[in-house]
Amino acid sequence: MANFVHELEQAAHIILAPPQAVTHQQRQAAEEVILAFRKSNNSLSVCRHIFEHSKHDYVLFQAATTIKDVVVRNWKELDKNEIESVRSFLLHFVTQKQSLQSYVREQVLQAVAIIFKRGTLDGKNRHQLMEDVSQMVASGNPQMV
């Protein structure tokens, strides 16, 4: 899986490179890597692995976007304990990583909001999310308030 993260990071570097630094074919191949990742039915654990092992903001953004897509697309098939674990992990992640770019933080929090909303529609307990949000506010991170 480390090779997979490395491949995504290389693709991100190419996508974000200035136009004169890469060829059209390189950029197109990099875009295909990112799109293939986004379109696949990646398990939530793969995205979590990316959050745990990648430092590249664009890759983290793509992982958060993929989580959002997977949750919306496959909600009924997903293991509810895994979803809850990912939601809690993501909230913890944004409170601990104060150096995150705002666009990454916002995407991660959107993923959390989608998980919460889907869970609410299924009648899930809101208690744990409220606890996590209280901890997030109490963390003292000015970017979280």
Side-chain angles (χ1 to χ4, degrees), residues 69-120:
D69 293 347
V70 167
V71 166
V72 169
R73 188 174 52 234
N74 301 330
W75 179 259
K76 297 236 183 247
E77 294 84 34
L78 294 172
D79 178 60
K80 302 312 178 212
N81 290 329
E82 184 180 18
I83 293 171
E84 182 62 26
S85 173
V86 168
R87 184 200 54 75
S88 182
F89 170 80
L90 292 174
L91 273 175
H92 181 74
F93 182 83
V94 296
T95 56
Q96 298 303 311
K97 303 287 185 182
Q98 295 184 9
S99 63
L100 276 178
Q101 293 292 323
S102 60
Y103 73 97
V104 177
R105 183 179 309 101
E106 289 170 10
Q107 195 73 349
V108 170
L109 292 174
Q110 284 179 15
V112 171
I114 287 171
I115 292 169
F116 176 69
K117 185 174 182 178
R118 292 299 305 246
T120 301

Side-chain angles (χ1 to χ4, degrees), residues 16-31:
L16 298 174
Q20 65 275 15
V22 295
T23 67
H24 175 71
Q25 291 80 13
Q26 287 173 315
R27 190 174 305 279
Q28 190 171 18
E31 289 171 354

